[in-house]
Amino acid sequence: MKAKKQINRIKVVLAEKDRTNKWLAEKLDKNSTTVSRWCRNDMQPSLETLIEIAKALDVDIKELLHSTK
């Protein structure tokens, strides 16, 4: 089976900021299952939502993504 491609770093940044999936879901008014799927890279948030996540976590949006270089 092919390994899942890690696109976002939301789970890592949440841990660095000592925040939980539940906190982020409440902050963004999103379903906690949706946030959990983002954290597992099962699905990806829209660019607009990624901006909201960056603001909520007080980080540059680039910190939420794995580099392509």
Side-chain angles (χ1 to χ4, degrees):
M1 189 190 316
K2 195 174 184 180
K4 188 177 0 178
K5 186 163 176 116
Q6 299 297 305
I7 296 172
N8 77 60
R9 299 181 65 249
I10 297 171
K11 182 177 182 177
V12 174
V13 177
L14 280 170
E16 290 171 354
K17 295 287 185 172
D18 200 27
R19 297 293 187 176
T20 63
N21 295 10
K22 184 179 179 188
W23 174 86
L24 185 60
E26 289 171 359
K27 192 84 170 159
L28 300 177
D29 196 27
K30 300 284 185 188
N31 187 296
S32 59
T33 302
T34 300
V35 174
S36 181
R37 288 179 180 152
W38 296 339
C39 289
R40 291 192 316 264
N41 276 280
D42 288 344
M43 59 187 267
Q44 302 304 320
S46 69
L47 289 175
E48 291 84 3
T49 302
L50 210 56
I51 291 168
E52 290 179 39
I53 295 168
K55 287 179 182 176
L57 292 169
D58 193 30
V59 296
D60 188 291
I61 194 169
K62 291 186 272 184
E63 290 186 47
L64 297 175
L65 300 169
H66 282 283
S67 176
T68 57
K69 296 278 179 179

